[in-house]
Amino acid sequence: QVQLVESGGELVQVEGSLRLSCAASGRINEHALGWWRRAPGKDREFVAEINWSGSIRNYADSVKGRFTISRNNAKNAVFLQMDMLKTENTAVYSCSARRTPFVEGFDVADGQSYESWGRGTQVIVSS
């Protein structure tokens, strides 16, 4: 329903930081939002998601403590702050939106429930 455009992907060194942004063409104040990535030769995997109000955040175990998802409903945007980056974090990162709220501890990281997807932004972590 809404169009999403990611930005901020760059070439960055190991242990460096990067902040990704995702802008929506329409109102996303009632949407849950998520970040996903697809590394070379691998399937798409879940990174993080946030509920409509920002009160609930879910992360993949591999990024907990290093990545932070946040949102600004007034600006129709969602962000992903990435710290202490590793070479294995190299991937195309995409943002997504769903109108049906996720159930904490049950259907988190459910790609099929996300209705809108951006094309992605490339992140390359180099040693």
Side-chain angles (χ1 to χ4, degrees), residues 70-84:
S70 62
R71 65 188 296 164
N72 188 324
N73 288 345
K75 297 183 179 297
N76 295 319
V78 60
F79 309 94
L80 183 68
Q81 176 67 43
M82 304 183 293
D83 298 319
M84 294 298 294

Side-chain angles (χ1 to χ4, degrees), residues 71-115:
R71 65 188 296 164
N72 188 324
N73 288 345
K75 297 183 179 297
N76 295 319
V78 60
F79 309 94
L80 183 68
Q81 176 67 43
M82 304 183 293
D83 298 319
M84 294 298 294
L85 284 162
K86 305 175 180 180
T87 55
E88 54 262 45
N89 296 148
T90 294
V92 174
Y93 286 72
S94 301
C95 62
S96 60
R98 58 182 287 181
R99 288 175 291 179
T100 302
F102 55 79
V103 178
E104 188 177 10
F106 183 70
D107 68 339
V108 298
D110 183 10
Q112 288 79 10
S113 295
Y114 282 85
E115 303 159 349

Side-chain angles (χ1 to χ4, degrees), residues 1-6 22-26 28 76 95 97 116-118:
Q1 186 176 353
V2 298
Q3 293 187 359
L4 306 171
V5 180
E6 304 90 342
C22 174
S25 62
I28 46 79
N76 295 319
C95 62
S116 302
W117 293 83

